Amino acid sequence: MTESQRIETEPNLDPGWFEDRVVELLPDLLGAARSLAGDPSDAEDLAADTVARAWEHRGDLRERGRFRGWIFRILRNVFLSGRRRRQSRPVEVPLSDEEGEDRPFSLFERLHQPFLLWWSNPEEEFLNGILREDLAEAVDALPDSYREVLVLIDVHGFRYAEVAAALEIPVGTVRSRLARGRSRMQEHLWRHAVDRGLREPPRPGQRRPE
Amino acid sequence: MNEMERIDCEEAVQRLAEYLDQELDPDGSTELEQHLERCRSCFSRAEFERQLKTSIRENLGSADVPAPFEKRVRLLLKGLVEGE
Ligand SMILES: [Zn+2]
């Protein structure tokens, strides 16, 4: 008898198995919640609500092997329904999706400037030096409407059309929010790198800055 | 083959994000790929953006779980199981 056949005859997953799977997936669930919510305590609430919802609907899970995809779908649904509730009251600075397109900030272009040429490969150095905290901080700093689009696409691999349907906005708006979100995020990462001394020229005898 | 370059750098840069997001139609992708094969600058840019996107996915996909949170989840599940 295969695992999936067994589960058909056993609709109620045993609590021990459920708890083990949840705890095992907790870093991923919390990571997803963290980047979507943009705030640590909201993220914990979102992840906890997801676990509760999953337990409540465990009868819908057909195969144990699909647990991961199934619980992530629940997490996104919990996030999106919470988001609809939040939107019924005015939040954050209104953003115009139609505003004239300012030239997007390009990290690549900054890294390609002549003063950085003493680095063998400034882009590679930059990418290697990037930390999870830097990325998390840059994503958290985005306005909610930019962050959710960017996270659904760049972290969760959603298609533009899927994001448009989930957030009930036109695909063109997804595209422009994504472009602005990425531009702001790159600008944030650049400023952070500059603060850390990216521009400092190497001292004589030193091959690379520390 | 004596094919003319179909798109220039400006057009390539404009299409790059959609290409990396796999949202570009096949013709548009082919034109961009042909440009990337010939243009070192756009190729480097594409590699950089692709790696940055990967880094975002890998780094933000999971988080360190604070011990009190794991405890909260275990207690939550215990409560749900016992409440049935
Ligand atoms: Zn080019």
Side-chain angles (χ1 to χ4, degrees):
Chain A
M1 200 186 252
T2 69
E3 180 79 345
S4 62
Q5 279 168 331
R6 205 169 64 79
I7 205 159
E8 302 260 23
T9 61
E10 182 203 47
N12 284 335
L13 298 170
D14 67 283
W17 182 86
F18 188 92
E19 180 172 338
D20 287 349
R21 286 299 282 146
V22 162
V23 169
E24 184 189 335
L25 286 174
L26 220 44
D28 293 357
L29 283 172
L30 192 60
R34 182 81 180 75
S35 47
L36 280 171
D39 172 90
S41 76
D42 287 352
E44 292 192 357
D45 290 347
L46 172 57
D49 288 351
T50 299
V51 171
R53 183 87 67 98
W55 174 255
E56 200 181 311
H57 293 277
R58 66 195 180 282
D60 300 344
L61 178 68
R62 307 300 300 177
E63 287 175 43
R64 291 187 181 203
R66 295 194 179 161
F67 187 83
R68 188 190 158 88
W70 175 76
I71 199 166
F72 271 83
R73 242 180 347 268
I74 294 175
L75 180 121
R76 287 170 203 133
N77 289 338
V78 172
F79 169 74
L80 292 170
S81 58
R83 175 185 176 278
R84 264 172 229 124
R85 269 199 309 281
R86 286 193 302 278
Q87 276 193 341
S88 57
R89 56 190 157 87
V91 281
E92 77 180 67
V93 188
L95 294 159
S96 164
D97 290 309
E98 280 74 44
E99 76 195 29
E101 189 51 73
D102 33 339
R103 188 170 161 68
F105 185 94
S106 166
L107 202 42
F108 175 81
E109 285 168 18
R110 296 302 169 117
L111 290 167
H112 247 56
Q113 288 177 64
F115 68 82
L116 289 173
L117 285 182
W118 39 263
W119 269 358
S120 56
N121 185 338
E123 297 104 83
E124 201 180 304
E125 295 277 350
F126 177 85
L127 288 164
N128 289 340
I130 213 164
L131 300 173
R132 176 199 280 190
E133 292 76 49
D134 303 338
L135 291 166
E137 195 186 288
V139 166
D140 289 351
L142 294 174
D144 291 352
S145 61
Y146 292 179
R147 190 182 55 252
E148 60 197 11
V149 168
L150 189 145
V151 167
L152 287 171
I153 290 168
D154 281 347
V155 182
H156 298 278
F158 272 50
R159 311 307 308 263
Y160 294 178
E162 290 174 320
V163 175
L167 304 182
E168 298 170 332
I169 53 177
V171 173
T173 306
V174 171
R175 215 175 255 119
S176 64
R177 288 184 184 176
L178 179 64
R180 293 205 181 103
R182 283 177 174 162
S183 169
R184 285 204 193 190
M185 196 175 163
Q186 293 202 358
E187 193 171 358
H188 193 110
L189 291 171
W190 169 253
R191 282 203 312 266
H192 193 76
V194 168
D195 287 348
R196 280 200 189 157
L198 184 75
R199 278 164 186 273
E200 275 176 31
R203 292 192 205 104
Q206 211 178 21
R207 288 186 60 230
R208 277 173 23 170
E210 290 307 320
Chain B
M1 207 153 69
N2 192 13
E3 199 186 349
M4 281 288 290
E5 180 94 40
R6 295 242 183 88
I7 60 171
D8 59 14
C9 292
E10 200 185 324
E11 179 75 29
V13 169
Q14 256 179 24
R15 288 188 196 178
L16 188 57
E18 291 195 18
Y19 172 72
L20 295 173
D21 294 337
Q22 296 180 310
E23 294 279 348
L24 210 54
D25 58 76
D27 285 351
S29 296
T30 306
E31 285 173 348
L32 180 63
E33 282 162 1
Q34 284 171 352
H35 182 86
L36 296 182
E37 281 165 17
R38 291 169 205 172
C39 178
R40 188 186 150 87
S41 162
C42 287
F43 179 81
S44 307
R45 183 191 292 258
E47 275 304 290
F48 177 77
E49 298 292 347
R50 192 180 57 73
Q51 287 177 44
L52 184 61
K53 195 174 146 81
T54 303
S55 179
I56 291 170
R57 193 188 66 237
E58 287 174 351
N59 282 287
L60 302 185
S62 70
D64 296 330
V65 179
F69 181 65
E70 183 179 325
K71 195 176 168 195
R72 176 182 166 189
V73 169
R74 287 189 189 274
L75 284 171
L76 168 74
L77 282 170
K78 194 166 181 281
L80 289 168
V81 171
E82 283 170 2
E84 293 198 336

